[in-house]
Amino acid sequence: MSKLTDLNLAQARDGLVSKAFSAVELTQAHIERVEASDKLNAYVLKTPEKAMQMAKASDAKIASGTHGPLEGLPIGVKDLFCTQGVRTTASSKILGDFIPPYESTVTQNLWTDGAVLLGKLNNDEFAMGSSNETSCFGPVNNPYQGANGENLVPGGSSGGSSAAVAARLGVAATATDTGGSIRQPAAFTGTVGLKPTYGRCSRWGVVAFASSLDQAGPITQTVRDAAIMLGSMASFDSRDTTSVARDVPNYEAALTGNIKGLRVGIPKEYRVDTMPAEIEALWQQGMDWLKQAGAEIVDVSLPHTKYALPAYYIIAPAEASSNLARYDGVRYGVRQEGVDIDDMYANSRAAGFGDEVKRRVMVGTYALSAGYYDAYYVKALQVRRLIAEDFNRAYEKCDVLLTPTTPSAAFAVGKEVEDPLEMYLNDVFTVTVNLAGLPGLSVPAGLDAHGLPLGLQLIGKAFDEEQLLRVGEVLETAAGFTTRPNEWWSA
Amino acid sequence: MASNPNLIAGATGDWEVVMGLEIHAQIASQSKLFSGASTEFGALPNSQVSLVDAAMPGMLPVINAYCVEQAVRTGLGLKAQVNNYSVFDRKNYFYPDLPQGYQISQFLQPIVGEGAIEIDLPDGAVKTIGVERLHLEQDAGKSLHDQHPSQSFVDLNRSGMALMEIVSHPDMRSAAEAQAYVKKIRAILRYLGTCDGNMEQGSLRADVNVSVRRPGDALGTRCEIKNVNSIRFIGQAIEYEARRQIDLIEDGGVVQQQTRLFDPKNGETRAMRSKEEAHDYRYFPDPDLLPLEFDQAYVDAIAKDLPELPDDKKARFISDYNLSPYDASVLVSEAENAAFFEAAAEGQDAKAVANMVIGSVFAGLNKAGLAIAESPVTPKQVGQLVGLISDDTVSNSIAKEVFEMMFDEGPDQGKDAAVIVEEKGLKQVTDMGAIEAAVDAVIAANPDKVTQAQERPKMAGWFVGQVMQATGGKANPQAVNKLVMAKLGLDS
Amino acid sequence: MSVDEKTVRRIATLARIGVREEELPALAKELNTIIGFVEQLSEVDTEGVKPFTSPVENTMRWREDAVTDGGYAEQVLANAPAKDDEYFAVPKVVE
Ligand SMILES: [Mg+2]
Ligand SMILES: [Zn+2]
């Protein structure tokens, strides 16, 4: 173990508690590494002073034996989480220098457990994107570069989070997932991404994209780290009506390594025509690994999979068009004056929103507008039920599902940004999970021909994150993914 | 066409005006519908605003149980269908005092469905007005447009307060009916305690939909007059608007469906100037909330606790106290009035008590600008005074005077009637001998008038007056009348 | 269904997003691509299927009626682009 920044979350935690090093030392090492990471553009706001203060407080708690489960662990926070007194923008110009007078429940849980804030992480504007290129702060570069040294996207929308964890700019990061925004970037960066069951983590204080789909979760180096992070992030929150009143189990304790007799479902509809052979092969490899560990592979069918993306691209924009109506230049954020109030609104929103956000707000407005509501919105909600029912039926035959996380490895910055549909297809394997409200986990499982990370996705039953993580760890161990990006950005 | 007094005469014939009302009633809760901020009236701007009310990013609504209960209570009070499953929708539009950019409301599945109320018309008739629905929704904030030459100011204190929107069927046919409807809704809300009904402070506001048509024709195009905030203004707004539409049509024009404002200063309505782009509210179920559900036991428990409502009270007043329907409806229009009457009527002649309450008490309160709770004369004292009339201790006219002494500021304010009558020697003279002496004296002193009276019996009243005057008003007027007639030989 | 420029203009107005005339053709094209894509849904037989509005199946929790929030006008106004005393200020609205 050469550097403190090489440690994963569990290792750092254990080192702190055993006083092998202090929280100040650990935090300082990460601050320095973050400082030298500007070429990645993962952080949109660094909070080193705050981090050092928090680390000092953590050291005091460790000394007095009153430390929390995440005491002294420096993490990055997606800029979609409102942080009290710390600028929060959702990577949108329209929020300007918005400083929330409140702290999101998820981040509050983390601070209460002792975590240390390194700064706010880049993301696609309002979490709308799959490459982190729609951010008003510019794209994030994947720590992994292309074969010819070209910059690749880190996935999105939690691209800052995935890049930060892959580049060790924090022991872990918070993220959010509306259609794949945790799992797809995790797959693109060789990290672990966990989208919990809808209702597991509070949405209170998280900038909303699509309320019925949004869910917070961690991006981490290991499955164990994801279990530890989720244990802190998850809670029942009476301030969020959609938060589910269930106890938070000890997820780490669920990592027994034992999956004997587990039935792993393979949905045949995920075998899409355009799937590259190497992803197909990796998927097969994943089945073999789980079989070797004692699981049984069963074929299942999710017949409405094909309609998940179209349904998603009605439902998410529809909710977003309404959720983003509050950005009107009146109470916070950026205002562009106009000749009258409507002109002020139109100018502020034209200047404040980027192209993808405008596109989605307009699609959503259209889908909800008179005359189209039934044909588009209601229809999409009906299809959503059929998709959820597909899962229910599949889970009569299996306990978890195994699929690829993405149809490809990370692509070059600028490659897909011109074609919204092409970009949307990134989420083809992940979006069904959000529609059904299920938990999904992406585990780094291999490399493509160019040495770029690829992920496998496990989909669990609602509120069965324990089993999901248990299988994830088995998969992780079997895959033995140890690749690290070469540190071109620090040169 | 005299058969229908509601018809309005135009240059080209008669017109019928048709009205439906949307009443917004603020629920008398401590905190807002979806946030814990206070609902108290009159606080400093933006001081009763939570981060939810200000629609800060990531803020979420959580429903107030009390507001749900009040909506159910009101639904039961309107004898309406209470829906055990309802859904909150977002109504999307932009306005500076609507922080979320949408109002959380109920569209397709409201908490309360069809109901009906009876309104009391001035001629004593009763008419049933259908209630289409009642739904829960958030109030908007307040915009002040006249404080600055180029800016409007926004105060979000009202933003997020709980409203019940009560939508009627287009069943009203005159301004008086619309006014009676609002009064009745207000009475029911106050009886239930679900809304204070204060129109001045805006806790009760009415949007009036007005259209006109030839009698028997299909409904005409309607205009919605927004937020009319007094019963008097509702009448004025309707009359103006109906006349405007009739004149417009008779001049060959067409009524445009539009939203209008009533200006109390000139008694006119005018089209709102804000861009009348086709309203497209893009309603959809609010994904931050789940459906609102409760079981029948919950509704039944609320029903069990319901107070006696105006219509039931009215029926009881008619049957138990033998009151006329009109008197009964006047007394039940406010729960406090009805309670005052009932307390006063205890052990007394109820009809006489009703007359005194509707007459002397209401007139006195009105003149003094007092609420019934502030009446200087207690219900018991009113009852006692009526008792003095019943047992012939005082005459009606003396009772009136005594009431004024009890009511008006002065040495006798608040005193019991019996005490005043005693102190002032106002006891009615019932001693027939004394009355006969007085009658004889007046007849003896006015022989010419006697002759006149025998020719024109109406003159007898003059003698009665003289006798009453001579006895300081204390003689029993019936007895005087009888004697005068007899002595003048006028009794048949 | 295809979205023409007039429709784009209407949607932009509804959504209060200022769009310049010269942006309309490209926007219409993009929206048509997306709407064309989502129109696949019409293939699905959804007869009698209840719309799915939330993954949460519980009934909605209610909170007690108590004043637990508010009383911090400074915080509410702290991020305002324009204010006047304790009011938010906006371009004059003419009703
Ligand atoms: Mg209305
Ligand atoms: Zn309303």
Side-chain angles (χ1 to χ4, degrees):
Chain A
M1 203 77 56
S2 48
K3 294 184 292 187
L4 290 178
T5 49
D6 285 332
L7 302 173
N8 64 37
L9 183 145
Q11 291 164 340
R13 173 192 64 182
D14 297 346
L16 284 168
V17 175
S18 66
K19 303 198 173 71
F21 45 84
S22 69
V24 164
E25 287 167 330
L26 182 68
T27 299
Q28 186 60 45
H30 280 94
I31 288 171
E32 283 165 18
R33 200 168 162 84
V34 168
E35 282 305 330
S37 73
D38 288 354
K39 283 182 189 160
L40 292 176
N41 199 27
Y43 278 87
V44 297
L45 181 76
K46 300 165 192 162
T47 56
E49 290 90 9
K50 191 176 173 72
M52 288 310 285
Q53 271 173 26
M54 293 173 91
K56 275 182 201 145
S58 286
D59 279 332
K61 286 198 167 162
I62 292 168
S64 64
T66 55
H67 52 275
L70 294 179
E71 200 66 61
L73 296 170
I75 62 169
V77 168
K78 187 177 184 179
D79 208 21
L80 224 61
F81 293 84
C82 291
T83 40
Q84 186 167 10
V86 176
R87 189 192 69 183
T88 301
T89 66
S91 295
S92 179
K93 258 196 273 184
I94 205 154
L95 268 161
D97 286 323
F98 177 67
I99 296 184
Y102 53 98
E103 185 77 38
S104 83
T105 299
V106 164
T107 47
Q108 185 57 56
N109 288 344
L110 290 165
W111 314 143
T112 302
D113 282 349
V116 168
L117 173 66
L118 287 170
K120 302 298 290 289
L121 294 163
N122 209 333
N123 50 260
D124 278 300
E125 183 180 6
F126 284 107
M128 295 180 195
S130 301
S131 65
N132 211 113
E133 292 168 288
T134 70
S135 165
C136 72
F137 297 106
V140 174
N141 289 316
N142 195 322
Y144 289 90
Q145 285 186 314
N148 305 316
E150 74 271 28
N151 282 334
L152 304 180
V153 303
S157 68
S158 308
S161 304
S162 67
V165 173
R168 305 294 194 260
L169 311 175
V171 298
T174 71
T176 62
D177 190 317
T178 303
S181 283
I182 289 177
R183 293 157 289 156
Q184 183 256 16
F188 276 15
T189 55
T191 55
V192 172
L194 171 60
K195 181 209 105 70
T197 310
Y198 184 85
R200 178 71 287 186
C201 292
S202 170
R203 294 186 297 113
W204 196 89
V206 184
V207 176
F209 161 14
S211 308
S212 77
L213 298 158
D214 296 346
Q215 186 57 208
I219 291 181
T220 55
Q221 296 171 42
T222 68
V223 172
R224 178 169 301 273
D225 291 357
I228 298 168
M229 281 289 282
L230 180 62
S232 180
M233 294 169 74
S235 63
F236 164 62
D237 186 357
S238 60
R239 293 179 298 182
D240 174 2
T241 292
T242 63
S243 161
V244 175
R246 276 182 177 249
D247 290 339
V248 180
N250 182 341
Y251 294 114
E252 201 180 358
L255 307 178
T256 60
N258 181 2
I259 59 162
K260 285 215 169 58
L262 182 91
R263 297 168 304 164
V264 178
I266 307 299
K268 65 169 188 265
E269 290 79 7
Y270 279 57
R271 231 173 272 279
V272 292
D273 301 341
T274 50
M275 190 187 289
E278 52 195 0
I279 292 196
E280 177 95 47
L282 183 73
W283 193 8
Q284 186 57 54
Q285 177 66 258
M287 297 177 217
D288 295 342
W289 285 328
L290 294 177
K291 224 184 315 188
Q292 281 155 25
E296 181 196 340
I297 303 298
V298 292
D299 286 323
V300 296
S301 173
L302 300 171
H304 295 93
T305 298
K306 179 183 168 200
Y307 300 104
L309 264 187
Y312 176 83
Y313 275 97
I314 295 286
I315 295 165
E319 293 184 16
S321 70
S322 178
N323 281 336
L324 271 58
R326 64 188 59 201
Y327 306 102
D328 60 4
V330 174
R331 294 164 315 286
Y332 45 78
V334 167
R335 172 185 297 188
Q336 291 280 319
E337 292 300 346
V339 295
D340 60 19
I341 183 79
D342 284 321
D343 200 39
M344 185 280 271
Y345 289 146
N347 292 344
S348 300
R349 290 163 65 81
F353 289 148
D355 288 344
E356 181 62 22
V357 170
K358 287 181 195 170
R359 207 151 32 224
R360 296 201 198 186
V361 167
M362 290 183 60
V363 168
T365 302
Y366 177 78
L368 290 177
S369 71
Y372 304 109
Y373 179 78
D374 288 324
Y376 290 109
Y377 189 68
V378 175
K379 185 82 180 179
L381 293 184
Q382 290 173 314
V383 171
R384 185 174 183 184
R385 180 166 304 278
L386 295 175
I387 288 167
E389 285 170 355
D390 282 354
F391 279 103
N392 292 341
R393 255 188 305 278
Y395 283 134
E396 288 167 8
K397 292 169 69 181
C398 67
D399 305 301
V400 293
L401 297 162
L402 178 72
T403 77
T405 309
T406 58
S408 75
F411 46 87
V413 171
K415 178 166 168 275
E416 292 184 359
V417 78
E418 293 307 322
D419 184 350
L421 268 195
E422 179 94 350
M423 187 68 83
Y424 296 173
L425 289 171
N426 271 286
D427 296 330
V428 66
F429 298 141
T430 48
V431 74
T432 51
V433 174
N434 300 76
L435 289 170
L438 300 171
L441 176 69
S442 178
V443 176
L447 299 171
D448 79 347
H450 306 288
L452 297 175
L454 294 170
L456 285 174
Q457 173 179 238
L458 291 160
I459 304 170
K461 295 179 183 173
F463 293 98
D464 198 7
E465 281 85 359
E466 288 167 279
Q467 185 160 83
L468 191 64
L469 288 159
R470 181 157 52 240
V471 187
E473 196 200 32
V474 170
L475 195 62
E476 176 184 51
T477 307
F481 186 94
T482 53
T483 312
R484 292 270 302 268
N486 75 60
E487 300 193 1
W488 58 269
W489 63 88
S490 60
Chain B
M1 281 282 161
S3 58
N4 187 343
N6 287 340
L7 294 184
I8 297 175
T12 60
D14 284 343
W15 294 87
E16 183 176 45
V17 54
V18 176
M19 282 143 295
L21 266 70
E22 292 159 31
I23 290 181
H24 284 94
Q26 227 167 57
I27 295 178
S29 56
Q30 301 292 308
S31 62
K32 297 182 179 179
L33 182 55
F34 293 112
S35 89
S38 170
T39 58
E40 210 166 306
F41 183 78
L44 285 174
N46 289 306
S47 66
Q48 293 181 167
V49 179
S50 80
L51 301 168
V52 179
D53 308 321
M56 294 278 172
M59 291 299 96
L60 297 170
V62 183
I63 195 156
N64 183 332
Y66 182 80
C67 297
V68 175
E69 191 187 324
Q70 301 320 301
V72 171
R73 276 168 70 77
T74 307
L76 293 170
L78 298 175
K79 302 201 166 53
Q81 167 70 39
V82 173
N83 295 321
N84 299 35
Y85 179 98
S86 64
V87 173
F88 284 103
D89 298 290
R90 292 184 182 178
K91 178 181 182 178
N92 294 283
Y93 65 95
F94 286 86
Y95 202 79
D97 59 24
L98 187 75
Q100 294 162 141
Y102 55 85
Q103 176 194 34
I104 305 178
S105 181
Q106 298 189 300
F107 184 51
L108 290 178
Q109 302 183 76
I111 185 167
V112 174
E114 289 281 343
I117 67 164
E118 294 191 335
I119 59 170
D120 303 295
L121 299 171
D123 64 358
V126 166
K127 179 174 177 177
T128 302
I129 305 291
V131 170
E132 186 189 305
R133 60 189 281 152
L134 174 155
H135 63 255
L136 277 167
E137 64 183 23
Q138 301 175 296
D139 207 344
K142 256 190 187 138
S143 298
L144 310 175
H145 303 305
D146 47 10
Q147 311 283 307
H148 189 280
S150 63
Q151 294 189 315
S152 291
F153 295 148
V154 180
D155 170 14
L156 298 179
N157 279 351
R158 204 179 63 187
S159 158
M161 284 201 197
L163 296 178
M164 297 179 284
E165 180 172 335
I166 303 165
V167 182
S168 84
H169 284 290
D171 288 349
M172 284 153 276
R173 295 291 179 272
S174 69
E177 288 183 10
Q179 290 174 309
Y181 172 78
V182 176
K183 281 186 194 160
K184 191 53 170 286
I185 291 278
R186 187 174 60 177
I188 293 171
L189 295 171
R190 284 180 170 164
Y191 267 64
L192 294 166
T194 56
C195 168
D196 67 22
N198 188 327
M199 295 188 81
E200 259 162 61
Q201 291 183 1
S203 344
L204 192 80
R205 314 191 286 270
D207 299 341
V208 189
N209 289 292
V210 181
S211 64
V212 298
R213 64 175 173 187
R214 296 293 189 187
D217 277 5
L219 288 175
T221 304
R222 67 192 162 89
C223 288
E224 183 179 15
I225 313 166
K226 278 273 180 206
N227 281 339
V228 192
N229 65 359
S230 88
I231 291 189
R232 193 161 55 91
F233 293 162
I234 288 171
Q236 291 175 5
I238 291 169
E239 291 192 340
Y240 177 86
E241 180 61 18
R243 178 50 66 186
R244 184 190 73 86
Q245 291 184 15
I246 291 167
D247 291 350
L248 185 65
I249 299 169
E250 291 192 327
D251 286 351
V254 176
V255 175
Q256 304 272 1
Q257 182 164 344
Q258 59 187 190
T259 308
R260 300 179 68 85
L261 288 174
F262 175 70
D263 185 349
K265 271 178 247 145
N266 53 21
E268 293 175 3
T269 68
R270 62 171 168 83
M272 287 182 74
R273 272 201 267 175
S274 37
K275 270 176 229 160
E276 196 65 28
E277 77 190 31
H279 282 302
D280 187 344
Y281 292 124
R282 289 156 288 135
Y283 283 102
F284 75 109
D286 190 330
D288 286 333
L289 294 162
L290 302 175
L292 178 59
E293 295 177 84
F294 41 76
D295 54 20
Q296 194 53 39
Y298 172 79
V299 181
D300 293 344
I302 295 170
K304 235 175 65 194
D305 258 13
L306 234 47
E308 183 184 37
L309 290 166
D311 289 344
D312 300 324
K313 207 182 274 289
K314 181 182 162 194
R316 184 167 61 80
F317 281 12
I318 293 169
S319 71
D320 289 11
Y321 297 115
N322 225 340
L323 302 187
S324 72
Y326 181 76
D327 283 359
S329 74
V330 170
L331 287 172
V332 303
S333 68
E334 302 275 350
E336 293 84 353
N337 294 350
F340 189 99
F341 160 74
E342 287 209 84
E346 214 184 306
Q348 305 294 349
D349 174 357
K351 276 188 99 136
V353 171
N355 284 338
M356 183 165 294
V357 170
I358 294 171
S360 301
V361 178
F362 288 178
L365 292 171
N366 224 338
K367 215 172 85 193
L370 295 175
I372 191 138
E374 302 164 317
S375 169
V377 181
T378 67
K380 199 172 168 195
Q381 289 175 321
V382 171
Q384 289 167 344
L385 179 54
V386 171
L388 296 180
I389 304 171
S390 304
D391 67 10
D392 286 339
T393 307
V394 294
S395 66
N396 268 314
S397 58
I398 292 289
K400 255 190 199 130
E401 284 171 34
V402 173
F403 180 84
E404 275 163 25
M405 290 180 239
M406 295 163 76
F407 192 96
D408 293 341
E409 238 170 281
D412 298 319
Q413 193 182 40
K415 273 190 192 165
D416 280 355
V419 174
I420 296 174
V421 169
E422 190 60 48
E423 285 175 0
K424 300 228 155 38
L426 296 172
K427 251 194 185 139
Q428 183 163 247
V429 178
T430 47
D431 170 357
M432 287 309 278
I435 294 174
E436 191 170 354
V439 173
D440 288 344
V442 173
I443 287 177
N446 298 286
D448 51 332
K449 292 263 191 323
V450 171
T451 325
Q452 288 177 19
Q454 279 157 349
E455 279 159 23
R456 291 178 43 224
K458 268 192 184 157
M459 274 293 295
W462 182 85
F463 286 94
V464 174
Q466 291 298 302
V467 175
M468 290 308 288
Q469 208 167 41
T471 58
K474 290 179 286 180
N476 181 313
Q478 279 91 47
V480 175
N481 198 49
K482 223 173 153 188
L483 268 173
V484 166
M485 299 303 266
K487 300 244 172 194
L488 294 176
L490 290 173
D491 52 341
S492 44
Chain C
M1 260 166 278
S2 96
V3 181
D4 56 17
E5 290 179 23
K6 202 173 132 232
T7 309
V8 176
R9 162 69 57 213
R10 187 178 64 83
I11 298 167
T13 305
L14 268 178
R16 299 295 189 275
I17 294 176
V19 171
R20 282 175 283 113
E21 214 54 38
E22 59 269 30
E23 295 175 281
L24 287 175
L27 264 171
K29 195 165 155 257
E30 284 169 6
L31 295 192
N32 273 316
T33 307
I34 298 168
I35 284 154
F37 172 67
V38 300
E39 261 169 7
Q40 296 175 59
L41 292 181
S42 60
E43 298 165 11
V44 186
D45 178 6
T46 52
E47 187 69 36
V49 178
K50 192 174 164 252
F52 181 109
T53 48
S54 170
V56 178
E57 283 166 1
N58 308 18
T59 52
M60 182 159 66
R61 284 184 305 274
W62 305 354
R63 54 167 239 282
E64 289 301 305
D65 181 29
V67 177
T68 55
D69 209 345
Y72 42 70
E74 342 66 58
Q75 287 185 40
V76 167
L77 291 151
N79 284 287
K83 57 191 162 190
D84 196 291
D85 289 331
E86 290 113 354
Y87 291 100
F88 294 101
V90 296
K92 197 175 188 72
V93 179
V94 185
E95 288 189 322

